[in-house]
Amino acid sequence: MWPQLEQLLPLVSKPIQYVGGELGAVVKDWDAAAVRWALMYPDAYEVGVPNQGVQILYEVLNEQADVLAERTYAVWPDLEALMRERGVSQFTVDSHRPVGAFDLFGLSFSTELGYTNLLTALDLAGIPLDSADRTEAHPIVVAGGHAAFNPEPIADFIDAAVLGDGEEAVLEITAIVRAWKAEGSPGGRDEILLRLAKTESVYVPRFYDVTYLPDGRIHRVVPNRAGVPARIHKRTTMDLDQWPYPKKPIVPLAESVHERYAVEIFRGCTRGCRFCQAGMITRPVRERSIETVGQMVREGLEFSGYSEVGLLSLSSADHTEIGDMCSGLAEQYAGTNVSLSLPSTRVDAFNIELAQELSKNGRRTGLTFAPEGGSERIRRVINKMVSEEDLIRTVVTAYSNGWRQVKLYFMCGLPTEQDEDVLQIARLAHEVIKAGRAATGSKDIRCTVSIGGFVPKPHTPFQWAKMDRPEVIDNRLRLLKQAINSDRSLGRAIGYRYHDGEPSLIEGLLSRGDRRVGAVIRRVWEKGGRFDGWNEHFSFQRWVESAGETLPAFGVDLDWFTVRERFEDEVLPWDHLDSGLDKDWLWQDWQDSLSEFEQDDCRWTPCFDCGVCPSMDTEIQIGPTGKKLLPLTPLNASGPRVHAH
């Protein structure tokens, strides 16, 4: 499709994002492939291209001799309009083939606000929006990523969803499709979906019927086909050392949100923050060994030419060998232009030694700490076990070691929250600046307070919680801003960023919605909804109007899905999708939060029966291995080669 597309590129903004040909991109022989995947992160190129999940699957699939994987991203509205005008379909950036020509169309959702972009991509690709209307001529549409743990709002639009880790799952799906095609595609689309469903780890919504009670709650979700399992189980890749991806990261041609080589140093988290879906659904903890991390860093930098390494996980400083890892890498790259960063740092796990290791090359990447709650009380509710003394001591450590800027991340709208809990954020920020000035003798220090809106998520103890209305959130944020600025001298040193309550409410609708919410998504999309994760494209009014036009037919409304607390015995839309967590344990943890009881981290204490390890036949895997990172084969002193863009 390149000749048609090329004519449109001079007419749109940032045409470079549609061109492909990046370092790390793969183009394989179309005719030699038995199975062909189009992979999408349903957002703009600059957000989608660094996505770890898509990069890993792209590489894993393309390593298979008879499999081909290409990438596609959401096109901006300016190009969408031209594509519709000229009859150009959704295309891959690798060889500019139409997405509709592939066997499988896989989408990775890390946020529910990407759902309208799914509909745009399907429509532009000529794939019917409703899975019921598709034939063997259309790709099988598969959803994955964290938001796929409740795919019910998009159940009508997808053919299948995969829960959990994708590395082994995509290879299993590929093998099933390969065999079915080799047999001459017997039984058509229905048969291949049935084969996928029978694995018990691929969810095919059409094979399940949902019935409702008179008050709008779900009565039950049951299979409507013989051989289809009553529950679908998540996939867990246990040995991360066997999957050291991405080995050859894609280096974007256009600017992207993360310009670095990222290594996932462990997966899973047992800290037990009650709001955190990622921590709950990725259990158990599985660490990459220090040797594999060292090898990945060396080979990834050598291939890509990046000068920053991000050591990624949900709480990177919790890796049992993080000290040796940071000192080893810092020593390895001393005198080069390579810098290290821990993008997610727990307040109580950061120490002087780690701070110094990370800044050995003289480059100080930003530090973000996430106390999440402003008051000690609310931190007990959410199980974020951080004291005010811990926070101030940690931040002062950073200032004393040469950092001049730290970011503190909080949430607004948490269960049981009152105005006072949020106003405590201002007092905490003031104390941080005062302590930093006292420790450094300098007024040249800053902190940024960043506030996100709380959204209750499936498979967490807060899945039963009600949300606050946007006007309540916005009023608290106004009061907080006044409190920060009440002391001019301190307020001048504090930056303030926040997300208002409206997008959070809609994310709440989508995160805990059931199949009836699909009608809202479709109506929003028909009214022009695109890129709802972007402030400038998001329209709260469009979502409210669309909900008002569609939900009453089902006897429910927007409030029913968002500001309503759930009952203990309520069938939740995702109850038939098994994340390994015991529902009774989650309920008990919800009750514990209401009584402000803190739960320990089971990595260091006896098991408290969340259910994951026995139900998934897995176990926590942590070090220390006793191994050291060094020696690695050193790179030349000038650092890795840098590719000119």
Side-chain angles (χ1 to χ4, degrees):
M1 293 172 53
W2 178 245
Q4 300 156 273
L5 182 66
E6 193 178 19
Q7 295 170 23
L8 308 183
L9 295 185
L11 310 175
V12 301
S13 64
K14 297 187 186 172
I16 189 76
Q17 65 189 313
Y18 307 118
V19 170
E22 308 98 327
L23 182 70
V26 177
V27 178
K28 296 177 77 171
D29 182 350
W30 180 266
D31 297 321
V35 180
R36 307 177 184 104
W37 281 82
L39 298 174
M40 180 178 199
Y41 187 81
D43 207 326
Y45 176 91
E46 64 203 74
V47 179
V49 77
N51 180 261
Q52 276 289 93
V54 172
Q55 289 217 22
I56 289 168
L57 299 184
Y58 179 75
E59 206 169 309
V60 165
L61 287 165
N62 278 320
E63 282 185 354
Q64 305 292 306
D66 64 343
V67 180
L68 164 160
E70 298 194 3
R71 297 162 296 131
T72 186
Y73 303 101
V75 298
W76 282 113
D78 60 352
L79 181 58
E80 182 194 341
L82 287 168
M83 287 165 67
R84 291 187 183 285
E85 196 182 290
R86 309 280 177 92
V88 176
S89 85
Q90 181 80 24
F91 56 89
T92 59
V93 295
D94 296 296
S95 62
H96 302 98
R97 290 188 181 275
V99 165
F102 289 75
D103 299 309
L104 295 125
F105 181 25
L107 299 103
S108 179
F109 291 98
S110 54
T111 167
E112 297 83 0
L113 291 170
Y115 290 161
T116 46
N117 285 353
L118 157 69
L119 297 191
T120 304
L122 290 173
D123 193 51
L124 286 173
I127 301 168
L129 296 189
D130 283 300
S131 61
D133 297 335
R134 295 173 198 151
T135 68
E136 291 91 283
H138 299 115
I140 298 161
V141 180
V142 186
H146 288 182
F149 274 81
N150 175 27
E152 291 300 275
I154 52 170
D156 291 343
F157 313 130
I158 61 171
D159 296 304
V162 176
L163 277 62
D165 298 332
E167 290 94 335
E168 292 160 296
V170 290
L171 295 181
E172 183 181 21
I173 291 168
T174 299
I176 292 168
V177 171
R178 181 194 286 121
W180 174 73
K181 285 181 71 179
E183 293 164 27
S185 310
R189 195 175 190 85
D190 214 51
E191 169 66 18
I192 183 60
L193 291 175
L194 196 55
R195 290 188 190 186
L196 291 171
K198 284 179 177 176
T199 63
E200 299 191 8
S201 63
V202 178
Y203 174 52
V204 180
R206 71 165 66 180
F207 295 147
Y208 297 81
D209 290 335
V210 184
T211 53
Y212 301 93
L213 297 167
D215 65 2
R217 289 180 297 151
I218 292 172
H219 174 223
R220 56 186 197 152
V221 181
V222 289
N224 57 26
R225 189 71 64 98
V228 172
R231 278 172 79 74
I232 298 294
H233 306 292
K234 77 167 181 181
R235 298 295 300 244
T236 303
T237 297
M238 283 309 298
D239 188 351
L240 294 188
D241 284 349
Q242 295 298 310
W243 300 88
Y245 298 91
K247 300 171 187 171
K248 296 181 175 177
I250 292 160
V251 181
L253 296 171
E255 191 179 348
S256 70
V257 291
H258 296 302
E259 303 277 339
R260 65 183 181 207
Y261 177 59
V263 179
E264 186 183 22
I265 61 175
F266 71 87
R267 201 170 284 181
C269 183
T270 47
R271 287 280 184 170
C273 301
R274 293 175 172 127
F275 57 83
C276 181
Q277 185 188 43
M280 294 287 169
I281 62 177
T282 58
R283 294 178 176 202
V285 170
R286 292 144 287 153
E287 289 190 352
R288 266 205 173 101
S289 72
I290 191 167
E291 298 155 296
T292 303
V293 170
Q295 181 190 342
M296 287 176 71
V297 169
R298 188 190 61 188
E299 293 174 2
L301 288 179
E302 215 166 321
F303 176 81
S304 67
Y306 280 129
S307 58
E308 184 184 335
V309 178
L311 302 176
L312 301 194
S313 77
L314 291 172
S315 183
S316 295
D318 283 347
H319 193 291
T320 49
E321 298 179 293
I322 190 67
D324 285 345
M325 193 181 290
C326 287
S327 60
L329 288 170
E331 208 171 312
Q332 172 68 27
Y333 297 106
T336 73
N337 65 347
V338 174
S339 64
L340 302 175
S341 66
L342 295 183
S344 49
T345 309
R346 274 192 64 87
V347 170
D348 53 350
F350 192 81
N351 54 48
I352 294 172
E353 202 180 323
L354 215 49
Q356 288 169 332
E357 295 298 350
L358 288 172
S359 59
K360 262 190 177 165
N361 280 355
R363 284 178 56 189
R364 299 184 188 282
T365 52
L367 286 180
T368 300
F369 300 109
E372 311 287 0
S375 68
E376 296 271 0
R377 187 196 75 78
I378 206 79
R379 290 198 290 275
R380 285 197 299 274
V381 169
I382 65 179
N383 207 46
K384 192 84 183 188
M385 294 170 281
V386 176
S387 71
E388 188 168 318
E389 295 74 38
D390 278 340
L391 176 66
I392 290 172
R393 186 170 55 245
T394 304
V395 175
V396 166
T397 299
Y399 287 141
S400 303
N401 279 276
W403 270 268
R404 288 290 167 262
Q405 167 81 36
V406 297
K407 187 170 164 188
L408 302 176
Y409 182 82
F410 299 90
M411 277 197 231
C412 188
L414 290 160
T416 78
E417 179 182 279
Q418 301 297 318
D419 292 357
E420 181 53 32
D421 295 304
V422 176
L423 291 174
Q424 289 284 325
I425 295 171
R427 192 187 56 76
L428 205 52
H430 287 166
E431 292 300 323
V432 159
I433 295 296
K434 281 195 281 194
R437 285 176 177 174
T440 60
S442 165
K443 285 204 164 186
D444 179 30
I445 57 167
R446 288 186 57 76
C447 90
T448 300
V449 168
S450 184
I451 315 276
F454 164 69
V455 179
K457 294 284 183 175
H459 309 281
T460 70
F462 288 165
Q463 63 185 3
W464 290 276
K466 69 181 182 68
M467 297 184 74
D468 283 324
R469 295 181 186 279
E471 54 269 26
V472 174
I473 303 290
D474 294 347
N475 185 52
R476 282 184 190 147
L477 294 173
R478 259 195 309 277
L479 294 173
L480 174 58
K481 187 172 188 181
Q482 287 168 11
I484 288 173
N485 293 328
S486 63
D487 183 316
R488 294 273 313 274
S489 162
L490 297 171
R492 205 176 296 136
I494 300 168
Y496 180 52
R497 291 190 196 145
Y498 63 90
H499 297 282
D500 60 39
E502 292 180 347
S504 298
L505 192 81
I506 299 309
E507 194 180 329
L509 166 73
L510 298 174
S511 74
R512 291 191 298 176
D514 53 42
R515 294 187 181 187
R516 296 170 290 191
V517 172
V520 186
I521 298 168
R522 187 192 302 253
R523 183 62 56 87
V524 166
W525 177 78
E526 287 167 352
K527 288 172 177 270
R530 307 287 189 273
F531 292 96
D532 284 295
W534 295 66
N535 285 341
E536 60 267 41
H537 293 280
F538 175 80
S539 163
F540 184 62
Q541 188 181 353
R542 184 160 52 210
W543 280 96
V544 172
E545 282 175 5
S546 300
E549 290 164 13
T550 54
L551 292 178
F554 303 111
V556 291
D557 60 14
L558 180 58
D559 282 0
W560 194 88
F561 283 106
T562 53
V563 299
R564 176 181 72 91
E565 190 169 315
R566 279 39 171 183
F567 300 102
E568 179 180 4
D569 60 354
E570 186 164 341
V571 176
L572 301 173
W574 51 89
D575 277 351
H576 57 299
L577 304 173
D578 187 4
S579 62
L581 294 156
D582 181 68
K583 192 178 179 184
D584 291 337
W585 177 82
L586 287 171
W587 175 264
Q588 187 52 54
D589 207 41
W590 167 228
Q591 299 311 298
D592 285 346
S593 82
L594 297 176
S595 54
E596 299 173 22
F597 174 79
E598 292 179 330
Q599 180 69 268
D600 290 330
D601 183 338
C602 68
R603 252 176 299 190
W604 325 116
T605 58
C607 170
F608 45 72
D609 296 329
C610 75
V612 168
C613 292
S615 70
M616 296 286 153
D617 192 24
T618 57
E619 60 182 351
I620 287 175
Q621 292 186 350
I622 57 172
T625 59
K627 303 281 176 60
K628 292 287 183 201
L629 190 77
L630 297 172
L632 294 171
T633 313
L635 296 164
N636 61 42
S638 61
R641 55 205 161 94
V642 177
H643 296 271
H645 292 334

